Amino acid sequence: MCEQDFIPGEYEKSVPLGKVAWQSPSNIALVKYWGKKKNQIPANPSVSFTLKNCKTITTLEFQEKEIKGEDYDFELFFEGRKKDDFKPKIKKFFERIEQYSPFLKDFKLLIQTKNTFPHSSGIASSASGMSALALCVMSLEKKLNPGLTEDFFLKKASFLARLGSGSACRSIEGELIEWGEHASTAGSSDLFGIKYPYKLHEVFKTYQDTILLVDKGQKQVSSTLGHNLMYGHPFAEARFAQAHDNLDQLQAIFEMGNLPEFIKIVESEALTLHAMMMSSNPYFILMKPNTLEIINKIWEYRETTGVPVCFTLDAGANVHVLYPNEEKDKVLEFIKNELVVYCEKGQYICDLIGKGAEKL
Ligand code: DP6
């Protein structure tokens, strides 16, 4: 499919007013997206576990305007409060998707949104937030064009979400989503995320992710700025090639449930992401001392107990602790006894792999 396939034709119906709502989860990348080209095209393919508990719930109310198609007319409420400082981001999103969802200008919109995870937890809400909004936009399109197929609906939702925030395109479905052209993955695309099309071992289908909140502060570096630092980065080409290679290797690992090899790739990806940040110009360090304490504790625990627990990181200091469901009791005990001290106010969030967004 290409971009043109997402430009709608004539609408079948007119809808004076209505309301749609979606909840959409966050996701955690195993192979990281870091670096992008024009129009939110990723510099390398990535793959992520869709999460279940960390999600955004968004309601979109719409009413046809008397004078259609002038400018966007919308109000935004976050957790029940009017949130004008979020509006520029949403407006930018609408502008980016304008040719694919031109009908948005024909309606007066009321967007109400909230997260299930604490605000300012350092958890990026752009993946869940943008995917929930993209799905609401698609539900409105479906009211205008009831003939849209389920498959097209989900693809276009992912396509639109990507234009809001790259990683958001991996939050529409579950459990494992790949985004970005990759020679060994049939159907992979730079334009939207696809469900991982090969065999996934049972162990991964209930994988756990406990998010340790090391630093709940605002992000030091926006991801957009971070991605841009991959332009002219001395290690960029090698890094992009490595992501392709890691995805190649993961195919057999996902199939066989080979946890030692899974751990090697996942931890290396996390550290490489941070290594890219540390070696860009300007350079920055997003890990905190407690991030390193936790990593060392996880290594020590794995070494002494043989429990296959590992970590991954986003572009921040928080640590995602990944482990199989059958190790849950042991790992939670370990987290409570040894890792919680490194969390800000002792806070952490228990999540697990999920199946994607749901219409409400
Ligand atoms: C480190 O999706 O937040 O989490 O497209 O600029 O919105 P934008 O970037 P974003 O970048 C996510 C980067 C990452 C890795 C990943 O999720 O793959």
Side-chain angles (χ1 to χ4, degrees):
M1 285 185 89
C2 64
E3 269 114 338
Q4 274 65 32
D5 297 328
F6 296 107
I7 298 175
E10 288 291 302
Y11 306 123
E12 295 162 31
K13 285 188 134 186
S14 90
V15 185
L17 79 175
K19 182 175 172 177
V20 293
W22 280 86
Q23 61 175 33
S24 189
S26 184
N27 67 72
I28 181 66
L30 305 170
V31 171
K32 308 288 181 183
Y33 147 57
W34 198 243
K36 60 178 160 185
K37 304 177 202 161
K38 241 180 106 205
N39 297 332
Q40 295 285 101
I41 297 299
N44 64 262
S46 57
V47 72
S48 54
F49 280 152
T50 303
L51 295 180
K52 190 172 177 176
N53 299 333
C54 289
K55 56 196 176 195
T56 300
I57 298 156
T58 299
T59 304
L60 175 70
E61 287 175 62
F62 49 90
Q63 181 164 19
E64 218 172 20
K65 292 197 289 198
E66 273 169 31
I67 304 167
K68 288 183 178 176
E70 281 202 325
D71 199 4
Y72 296 103
D73 182 355
F74 67 99
E75 289 298 340
L76 184 80
F77 285 76
F78 178 68
E79 286 170 358
R81 288 206 188 91
K82 207 159 179 263
K83 204 68 179 146
D84 286 342
D85 46 336
F86 282 7
K87 281 180 88 173
K89 204 169 173 191
I90 304 296
K91 179 141 194 247
K92 194 164 157 202
F93 172 58
F94 287 160
E95 282 163 1
R96 281 190 189 166
I97 66 171
E98 176 158 6
Q99 55 173 320
Y100 309 108
S101 312
F103 52 84
L104 288 174
K105 282 189 170 168
D106 298 343
F107 293 91
K108 189 172 167 51
L109 306 171
L110 172 62
I111 303 163
Q112 303 204 59
T113 184
K114 61 183 178 200
N115 296 331
T116 59
F117 47 91
H119 186 49
S120 76
S121 55
I123 296 190
S125 56
S126 68
S128 54
M130 283 300 173
S131 55
L133 185 55
L135 283 157
C136 288
V137 170
M138 281 313 295
S139 281
L140 171 50
E141 179 172 339
K142 175 115 180 144
K143 287 191 186 290
L144 301 170
N145 278 332
L148 295 184
T149 65
E150 168 88 2
D151 180 60
F152 180 83
F153 182 99
L154 294 172
K155 271 205 178 87
K156 184 164 173 185
S158 176
F159 174 87
L160 296 179
R162 186 198 97 241
L163 292 169
S165 175
S167 57
C169 80
R170 298 187 313 236
S171 276
I172 305 293
E173 295 182 272
E175 298 139 309
L176 188 63
I177 301 293
E178 194 167 321
W179 165 44
E181 272 172 30
H182 173 231
S184 332
T185 307
S188 58
S189 169
D190 281 346
L191 301 180
F192 46 79
I194 61 161
K195 269 169 96 91
Y196 180 72
Y198 305 113
K199 197 164 172 262
L200 183 64
H201 190 279
E202 287 301 315
V203 72
F204 294 117
K205 296 190 179 165
T206 52
Y207 230 69
Q208 304 289 307
D209 177 6
T210 302
I211 309 161
L212 306 181
L213 305 180
V214 172
D215 180 21
K216 306 200 298 165
Q218 277 286 14
K219 273 202 200 173
Q220 227 180 71
V221 182
S222 78
S223 47
T224 302
L225 199 139
H227 288 291
N228 283 340
L229 293 175
M230 289 304 279
Y231 278 108
H233 191 294
F235 309 135
E237 290 316 312
R239 159 59 199 153
F240 301 148
Q242 180 197 42
H244 284 265
D245 188 47
N246 282 342
L247 276 165
D248 286 343
Q249 290 188 50
L250 276 170
Q251 240 169 59
I253 293 168
F254 284 144
E255 182 173 346
M256 306 305 287
N258 184 340
L259 297 182
E261 291 305 311
F262 174 77
I263 288 172
K264 274 191 214 160
I265 291 181
V266 168
E267 291 190 343
S268 163
E269 275 287 326
L271 295 178
T272 302
L273 168 70
H274 283 257
M276 290 300 112
M277 303 180 201
M278 288 192 231
S279 50
S280 54
N281 179 16
Y283 46 80
F284 46 94
I285 301 180
L286 294 188
M287 286 188 273
K288 297 282 182 201
N290 282 349
T291 312
L292 292 176
E293 294 285 359
I294 290 168
I295 291 174
N296 279 312
K297 284 279 177 193
I298 290 174
W299 284 347
E300 198 182 290
Y301 177 79
R302 191 165 74 219
E303 180 73 30
T304 51
T305 62
V307 174
V309 51
C310 70
F311 70 87
T312 188
L313 307 166
D314 265 341
N318 294 339
V319 182
H320 289 248
V321 185
L322 302 177
Y323 50 95
N325 185 42
E326 62 182 40
E327 308 287 359
K328 192 170 168 179
D329 293 346
K330 274 188 247 167
V331 176
L332 284 177
E333 198 56 28
F334 159 62
I335 289 174
K336 279 181 211 145
N337 293 340
E338 298 198 45
L339 303 184
V340 162
V341 298
Y342 302 115
C343 299
E344 201 177 324
K345 299 202 180 116
Q347 283 187 310
Y348 61 94
I349 296 173
C350 290
D351 212 334
L352 70 159
I353 193 162
K355 292 194 182 297
E358 279 172 42
K359 191 165 194 272
L360 299 171

